[in-house]
Amino acid sequence: MKKVILTCIAVLALLGSHTQLKAQNMEEEKNPTTSVAPRLSEAAVRNHEAWFPGYVSKVKETDPDLIEVFDNFAFDEVLNYGNLDTKTRIMVTMASTIAQHAVNEYRMMLRAGLANGVSPVEIKEVLYHAVPYVGIAKVIDFISVANDFLTENGVKLPLPSQSTTSPEDRFEKGLAVQKEMVGAEMIDNMYKNAPENQMHIQRYLSANCFGDYQTRTGLDKQMRELLTFSMLVSLEGCESQVKGHIRANVNVGNDKQKMLDVITQLLPYIGYPRTLNAIACLNEIIPENK
């Protein structure tokens, strides 16, 4: 008998809890507190729509607080800084996503690129340019994503070749471009000082990194160096190479302010530690005039 009474009490308690929960859910439906739309600035809304026309973010529904903070920052404050045009902003961000192996964000940059004048050839060249700096192990995933995206948008593959070298002249042409961008004296010293068992790396840099990739058409030298800089600052432990390509950027006509504009553009995507590391490298190579 006692067991029956205890069971009845438990059932009544359970029913009471269910009724209370149902009433609470009905109240939340009438007065929702978790589905408040993010408070976005006019500039953030306008710029986001310009980058991603017609795109409706699911994250905006599930994480409105995050979207409010991120979009107001990335698509208002950050885009208000510097003089980079929209196309350049998208391309350097695209390069950064490849370096970080951020496949989903890369898909978004493809959408933004095609909507803002980045050609299929330029999309492909950003990918090819990434190989010597990021490695094919990462880039191959993005090749598949880009191919699917371009095909879905009516682009016939393969695209026209942008190669300007042959197996016979890639070293010679690459070395010439390397000296032009990095400095002849520095390259001569690299060859002079390289140990014999490491000389092959110097030749690879000239023939492969510069001969096979930097000599390609589809992107000019200024853009290629901005892309290289973007990828290097997005990676970890590449400060030495970052400094080298700060000098290369200057040699091809990209000044300190332009590189600072790129770093600022990438900040929402790479975070503050890598941003501050990049700025430290920039200030070391090109000190501020106080």
Side-chain angles (χ1 to χ4, degrees), residues 22-37:
K22 185 176 181 180
Q24 183 179 339
N25 289 339
M26 290 176 66
E27 185 63 26
E28 287 180 355
E29 288 177 4
K30 292 178 182 178
N31 302 292
T33 58
T34 59
S35 59
V36 177

Side-chain angles (χ1 to χ4, degrees), residues 41-58:
S41 69
E42 291 184 9
V45 172
R46 181 177 63 254
N47 290 328
H48 193 279
E49 177 62 21
W51 278 47
F52 313 113
Y55 178 76
V56 180
S57 172
K58 293 181 179 179

Side-chain angles (χ1 to χ4, degrees), residues 229-282:
F229 181 68
S230 300
M231 289 183 280
L232 292 176
V233 302
S234 300
L235 294 168
E236 293 182 279
C238 294
E239 283 73 19
S240 177
Q241 288 75 29
V242 170
K243 294 173 188 178
H245 280 277
I246 289 171
R247 297 186 184 95
N249 267 281
V250 171
N251 289 341
V252 300
N254 295 325
D255 61 13
K256 181 176 184 178
Q257 184 58 54
K258 196 162 194 175
M259 284 182 272
L260 184 57
D261 290 354
V262 169
I263 294 170
T264 304
Q265 168 60 31
L266 297 181
L267 167 57
Y269 303 91
I270 66 175
Y272 283 94
R274 295 179 193 183
T275 296
L276 295 175
N277 284 348
I279 291 174
C281 292
L282 189 59

Side-chain angles (χ1 to χ4, degrees), residues 7 17 56 72 105 116-117 146 153 160 180 185-186 226 233 240 268:
T7 302
S17 297
V56 180
N72 281 334
E105 197 64 23
N116 288 274
N153 283 275
E180 176 188 351
E185 183 178 354
M186 182 172 290
L226 288 182
V233 302
S240 177

Side-chain angles (χ1 to χ4, degrees), residues 155-169:
V155 178
K156 185 177 180 181
L157 300 176
L159 298 175
S161 174
Q162 303 299 311
S163 176
T164 64
T165 62
S166 67
E168 292 74 29
D169 63 14

